[in-house]
Amino acid sequence: MMIEPIQPRGHVMKVGTVIVSGMHSGPNPSPGLGVARSLKLARPGLRIVGLDYSSNSSGLHTDKVDEVLLFPEWNEMDIDTWVKQIRQLLETDGVVMIPCLDLEVRLLALELGNCSGILSPSADAVKFAGKPPFEVAEVMNMSVPASEFSTDWPSVERFTRQSSQNVWVKGENYEAFKSHSSLEAIALGNMVQQTWGGDWHLEEHVRGQECGIAFCAVKGRLIDAVFMTKSLQTGEGKTWAGEISEVPTDIQTHLEELVRQMEWTGGGELELIQSWNGEFTLMEFNPRFPAWIHGATVCGANLPLSLITGTAKQRTKLASPGFTRVIEEIPVRPNLGLSPFIWPSGDFRSSSGKHPSGMPQLAHRRLLSAPRVSDDQSSFSRGQVDRDDLHGFERLLEPPSGKITPFRQVLLPLFTKKVEELKHNVKDLGQFVLAHSVKTCAQPTVLAEAARLGMIAEATNQAELQNADRRGLKASNAILNGPAKWWPSQNEVSCGAFFADSVDELRQVRQMLDDGFRLDANVVGIRIAPFRTPSRFGVDISDAKTFFDVVELVASISHRLGASWGMHFHHAESDLGAERWQLECASALQVADSMANELGASPAVLDFGGGWDVEDMSLLGPSLKQVLLNGPSVCREGAPLLVLEPGKILCQPSAVIVTQVIARSRSGGDLVVDAALGDIPTGPYWPHPIALFDGSEWVSLLPGKDRLLGRSCMENDVLAKWINLKEIRLGDYLAVGMCGAYDTSMAYQFGLGTPPQEIGRQ
Amino acid sequence: MSSKLSDLEAIGNFQLSSIEHHGEICCEIAMRQILALLDCYGDVGSQLAYLPELIRWGPVVWPIHWCGLENSEGLVGDCGVHADIAARILNRFKLSYSRGQAVIVPSKLVAEHWKSSWSKVGASDKWIFSNFVYHEVVHIGARWWDPTEACWFEGEDAFLKAGRVLAVRIEGGPWKVSESFNINLQDGIQSSRK
């Protein structure tokens, strides 16, 4: 059977045979089988040749395929031979090809761009439709998700933290994984790179309804398009059922302009997310039909047929509102068979079963693009660092010459600077007091400076409270938090406020008072647990009994002490990001209004805690402002004293570990220094800035692929990773910045042959 | 058809592949390194499975020495290399086995790619015939093992990734030929669905 009439590059030709590639139909299907089924549905006599790169491509075994063409797997492919063979296949009159694999389409565009029988876009059009599809989005008048292309640790850490909805790790060639942390994102990015070759980037998750547009065009003329809204998805997010409708008129107009500009030929797909208010975000633009294309056909919009005829059947109404998939077992072709089970060498199966068309192997051959950034481009170079990017410690740090390493240098001016910066940022928010978290940094000089700057102490036990008091942070003004605030046991405690961590703790305090415990506190309060984020701390007031228990206990204890009442929220902003911290904080504190009603008084103190990331200083003031605006009305009407205890944001920059290179590791790039994990306990978990003393000044090191290893014989003694240490020599001095918070308070002696610090009192 | 049968007879004269050793430290280190890497995968199945992951299938110029298996793209070897090393693995586990030979009919588009790749590095393509290719395998117990694809197969008529198995034989033994030998040679495996 021959089909009239048009051919993509201009001349009219009757189509008798259609070669369709990408025939696998599994949980993550390619579009080829859908294209074949659509063509056969409309033109049963049309000859369909299924083309693929493995006999395990399931669609090759269906009765929609009249002939099978198997190429070798991509790692065995000789590209010149492939090009020659494709050209030969298309030499016969009436034969056209609809390629249905992304990377294959791109390679065909590069290698066979002028071949008239291939119904797919040109190399220029494909380039226009890169990942992410910025240019396409602009023409379509749609937004794209926020993205980050720098995959160095600090950039990934920052983007992940500031993305309130988690992030997606996306490969340049294929694949997307959801990630919740920077370390997870980098691990996933490396896995994508290993599987698919090419680079990877991060995209912010966009909430909303997933939908898509399938279209076909010939020489820049839009032939047909349909809109699909996902109803059911597989675990991988692939469409299983969807509603089909006509493309909204305004989008259709932009789509016509898009294909005109790109002179598009072939099928295409826009993957979209529609927000609650109806706006679209363009997630992907694919240079081939979607895998659900036959779903549109059964609803009355046969785009594969429209593509090879060059005309669309006029529709007044769709035949069905949508489609769904079913699973069907079919016999394999007796003369094609199936490849046998490949025996696994490890615990996990290779990806060949997941992608029988072998696209990862094609991607690995790097036939399509050069790496975005080579390692050389990010190599270390003295003097090229933007001074504004520095964290400040390099300019304050003294030359290391003559000093015994490793040593910690406290940089008090950086602490002072951060406190002043914070005061400035929150000065318009109301009556506030800054508290220094003693557990975060108990350095005597820092405690004394905090006192000089008018701060109060936030302590989590009696030892911290007494230590802070000795350094000038008066216990009588201090805040007591956490579940162990009364430990070690005392007969008498004086503090400014305490916030109970549980209902049981309130009961315990009342019992202690009954037993003669002398407590002097101006404020009795509770710490409220966050709603969405799991936490081991705080009171979960989600039932009436707990609420009334809390009210009764707070009323009782505050009455006995002659104290007011208060409320505290605490969760690490460095984990949540500013936006989620603000939402959690405002929602958790809402209960303050009900408590105020029951207690007959507004809270005297609202205490905001949770370690803020140093880079988020500019977000702290606006976040608090939003909490005061959207939180309980007592925030605005009661004029409570606001206590801010943002933890490491103030003290983290205030210490540096200076160390010396003592060995080069086996791998060549990695270096061993005389500091160890005990000196920088959080080294493996977040990116510390590192500087080199070049003989005259400290200069920052740039991202790379090397690791800074600690001196101890422990596999996990990795002080920093993904930095460029290529030009560092034995004996060089390095400074690890941002060690003023937990890297100071949690530091321990290890690997020096010293006896353990005994615990327990005689 | 007779010319195809003569091709099969020609395959019968093929010698089983054996990796050569220079008798010098170069080959000793290379061989020990490869066997040690395989040793990391404890059991025999895992070691045999890891073999084609460790040594990627590709063209080599025979005679090949242990020290010549590594090129700029890593370790590369053909089915002869895989079969020889598989035999060493089986020896180390003291498993009874025989080396074997197979005739495979690949997809009609595939052989040209192999011919081209072998030719580009100056390797002999005499294992590629007009309608089928020569392949080296191992017979373990009552089953056949393909050391290049890391899979069991049932002998003649089985399907491998490389194509359909037309004939197999244990080293020095008679060929076991598929009943559809003639049909397969004529049509290849791409014939239309009837």
Side-chain angles (χ1 to χ4, degrees), chain A residues 291-462:
Chain A
W292 50 266
I293 194 66
H294 190 61
T297 297
V298 297
C299 291
N302 191 331
L303 273 62
L305 181 69
S306 299
L307 176 62
I308 64 164
T309 59
T311 57
K313 186 180 168 187
Q314 291 300 311
R315 298 185 290 269
T316 51
K317 189 182 168 200
L318 287 161
S320 170
F323 64 89
T324 189
R325 286 181 174 154
V326 292
I327 291 178
E328 184 184 12
E329 286 76 15
I330 58 168
V332 298
R333 286 174 179 262
N335 59 349
L336 188 56
L338 288 174
S339 302
F341 172 78
I342 306 298
W343 206 259
S345 61
D347 295 334
F348 301 102
R349 302 300 316 278
S350 70
S351 63
S352 59
K354 190 178 171 190
H355 306 285
S357 298
M359 288 299 100
Q361 298 160 347
L362 171 56
H364 262 292
R365 293 187 64 170
R366 285 217 164 274
L367 299 165
L368 297 163
S369 61
R372 195 159 43 223
V373 181
S374 75
D375 188 40
D376 292 342
Q377 282 173 273
S378 62
S379 62
F380 167 77
S381 171
R382 287 175 170 84
Q384 74 176 44
V385 178
D386 182 353
R387 304 300 294 189
D388 291 339
D389 281 348
L390 300 183
H391 293 266
F393 73 87
E394 296 90 341
R395 277 165 286 182
L396 290 173
L397 206 52
E398 295 161 2
S401 315
K403 293 185 178 171
I404 296 170
T405 55
F407 64 87
R408 178 180 291 105
Q409 185 173 338
V410 176
L411 304 171
L412 207 52
L414 293 180
F415 174 74
T416 310
K417 185 183 163 196
K418 287 292 170 190
V419 174
E420 297 298 348
E421 213 175 315
L422 178 59
K423 282 182 180 173
H424 176 78
N425 284 355
V426 299
K427 68 180 188 304
D428 298 329
L429 296 181
Q431 188 191 1
F432 69 90
V433 170
L434 292 188
H436 173 71
S437 166
V438 180
K439 72 173 184 299
T440 309
C441 180
Q443 271 281 345
T445 50
V446 172
L447 295 178
E449 179 67 358
R452 188 189 73 79
L453 292 167
M455 300 176 77
I456 61 172
E458 185 236 5
T460 61
N461 58 50
Q462 293 301 306

Side-chain angles (χ1 to χ4, degrees), chain A residues 61-63 65-73 75-82 84-85 89 331 333-346, chain B residues 41 43 45-47 49-50 53 56-57 107-110 112-114 116-117 120 145 149-153 159-162 164 184 188-193:
Chain A
H61 297 276
T62 67
D63 61 5
V65 173
D66 298 293
E67 187 181 340
V68 171
L69 284 178
L70 265 188
F71 278 98
E73 294 188 350
N75 53 5
E76 297 175 13
M77 186 83 76
D78 180 70
I79 297 300
D80 295 337
T81 306
W82 179 71
K84 189 183 81 181
Q85 289 173 334
L89 289 168
R333 286 174 179 262
N335 59 349
L336 188 56
L338 288 174
S339 302
F341 172 78
I342 306 298
W343 206 259
S345 61
Chain B
Y41 291 77
D43 63 282
S46 298
Q47 289 199 17
Y50 181 56
E53 291 178 33
R56 184 179 62 80
W57 183 74
S107 156
K108 67 183 177 190
L109 296 174
V110 172
E112 194 176 346
H113 290 262
W114 294 340
S116 179
S117 301
K120 280 179 180 170
W145 175 262
E149 296 190 9
C151 63
W152 293 105
F153 67 100
F159 288 91
L160 294 170
K161 267 202 308 182
R164 189 166 191 172
N184 278 299
I189 59 167
Q190 286 77 44
S191 56
S192 321
R193 195 182 186 96

Side-chain angles (χ1 to χ4, degrees), chain A residues 630-646:
Chain A
N630 301 318
S633 57
V634 292
C635 290
R636 299 173 293 282
E637 296 160 9
L641 175 68
L642 307 177
V643 177
L644 312 182
E645 32 161 306

Side-chain angles (χ1 to χ4, degrees), chain B residues 20-90:
Chain B
E20 309 250 337
H21 195 298
H22 279 120
E24 306 279 345
I25 192 71
C26 56
C27 280
E28 195 58 26
I29 288 176
M31 184 181 75
R32 286 182 184 281
Q33 175 76 6
I34 287 169
L35 296 178
L37 285 166
L38 290 163
D39 269 346
C40 294
Y41 291 77
D43 63 282
V44 63
S46 298
Q47 289 199 17
L48 288 171
Y50 181 56
L51 174 57
E53 291 178 33
L54 176 66
I55 304 177
R56 184 179 62 80
W57 183 74
V60 292
V61 179
W62 289 91
I64 187 76
H65 290 79
W66 285 97
C67 64
L69 290 175
E70 184 154 17
N71 65 23
S72 59
E73 293 177 8
L75 291 164
V76 177
D78 60 16
C79 64
V81 169
H82 288 148
D84 187 18
I85 299 177
R88 290 168 192 268
I89 293 170
L90 293 163

Side-chain angles (χ1 to χ4, degrees), chain A residues 106-432:
Chain A
R106 292 170 195 274
L107 192 60
L108 284 167
L110 281 177
E111 299 287 344
L112 283 150
N114 58 352
C115 188
S116 62
I118 302 175
L119 303 182
S120 63
S122 67
D124 285 345
V126 165
K127 198 173 172 188
F128 193 74
K131 287 177 188 279
F134 293 120
E135 288 89 350
V136 173
E138 196 175 331
V139 179
M140 292 299 297
N141 195 28
M142 292 172 176
S143 58
V144 291
S147 55
E148 174 59 77
F149 284 85
S150 298
T151 53
D152 60 85
W153 197 7
S155 302
V156 173
E157 161 72 23
R158 188 180 308 115
F159 188 80
T160 303
R161 190 180 65 252
Q162 292 177 355
S163 300
S164 58
Q165 303 294 326
N166 298 323
V167 298
W168 289 91
V169 174
K170 285 195 170 180
E172 178 189 354
N173 292 315
Y174 189 74
E175 205 73 276
F177 292 106
K178 202 170 197 175
S179 167
H180 306 86
S181 72
S182 63
L183 286 172
E184 185 185 15
I186 290 172
L188 289 169
N190 290 339
M191 188 175 77
V192 168
Q193 205 160 31
Q194 202 174 6
T195 307
W196 288 94
D199 295 309
W200 58 278
H201 68 276
L202 295 170
E203 282 183 17
E204 192 171 35
H205 176 70
V206 178
R207 269 183 302 189
Q209 166 71 61
E210 289 189 36
C211 40
I213 294 171
F215 70 91
C216 61
V218 175
K219 290 191 72 181
R221 184 170 61 89
L222 185 67
I223 307 294
D224 201 357
V226 286
F227 191 90
M228 187 276 297
T229 307
K230 289 188 188 180
S231 300
L232 283 175
Q233 298 177 57
T234 67
E236 288 184 81
K238 307 298 174 187
T239 305
W240 192 261
E243 296 172 74
I244 293 290
S245 57
E246 300 296 348
V247 177
T249 310
D250 55 332
I251 295 180
Q252 174 100 4
T253 306
H254 290 300
L255 186 58
E256 285 169 1
E257 175 60 17
L258 178 72
V259 300
R260 189 193 65 74
Q261 282 189 26
M262 294 196 285
E263 298 184 28
W264 193 270
T265 289
E269 179 193 20
L270 290 90
E271 293 183 37
L272 308 170
I273 290 183
Q274 187 170 26
S275 69
W276 188 82
N277 61 12
E279 290 172 355
F280 289 101
T281 301
L282 179 62
M283 306 304 292
E284 299 279 348
F285 183 78
N286 300 318
R288 39 85 189 151
F289 284 124
W292 50 266
I293 194 66
H294 190 61
T297 297
V298 297
C299 291
N302 191 331
L303 273 62
L305 181 69
S306 299
L307 176 62
I308 64 164
T309 59
T311 57
K313 186 180 168 187
Q314 291 300 311
R315 298 185 290 269
T316 51
K317 189 182 168 200
L318 287 161
S320 170
F323 64 89
T324 189
R325 286 181 174 154
V326 292
I327 291 178
E328 184 184 12
E329 286 76 15
I330 58 168
V332 298
R333 286 174 179 262
N335 59 349
L336 188 56
L338 288 174
S339 302
F341 172 78
I342 306 298
W343 206 259
S345 61
D347 295 334
F348 301 102
R349 302 300 316 278
S350 70
S351 63
S352 59
K354 190 178 171 190
H355 306 285
S357 298
M359 288 299 100
Q361 298 160 347
L362 171 56
H364 262 292
R365 293 187 64 170
R366 285 217 164 274
L367 299 165
L368 297 163
S369 61
R372 195 159 43 223
V373 181
S374 75
D375 188 40
D376 292 342
Q377 282 173 273
S378 62
S379 62
F380 167 77
S381 171
R382 287 175 170 84
Q384 74 176 44
V385 178
D386 182 353
R387 304 300 294 189
D388 291 339
D389 281 348
L390 300 183
H391 293 266
F393 73 87
E394 296 90 341
R395 277 165 286 182
L396 290 173
L397 206 52
E398 295 161 2
S401 315
K403 293 185 178 171
I404 296 170
T405 55
F407 64 87
R408 178 180 291 105
Q409 185 173 338
V410 176
L411 304 171
L412 207 52
L414 293 180
F415 174 74
T416 310
K417 185 183 163 196
K418 287 292 170 190
V419 174
E420 297 298 348
E421 213 175 315
L422 178 59
K423 282 182 180 173
H424 176 78
N425 284 355
V426 299
K427 68 180 188 304
D428 298 329
L429 296 181
Q431 188 191 1
F432 69 90

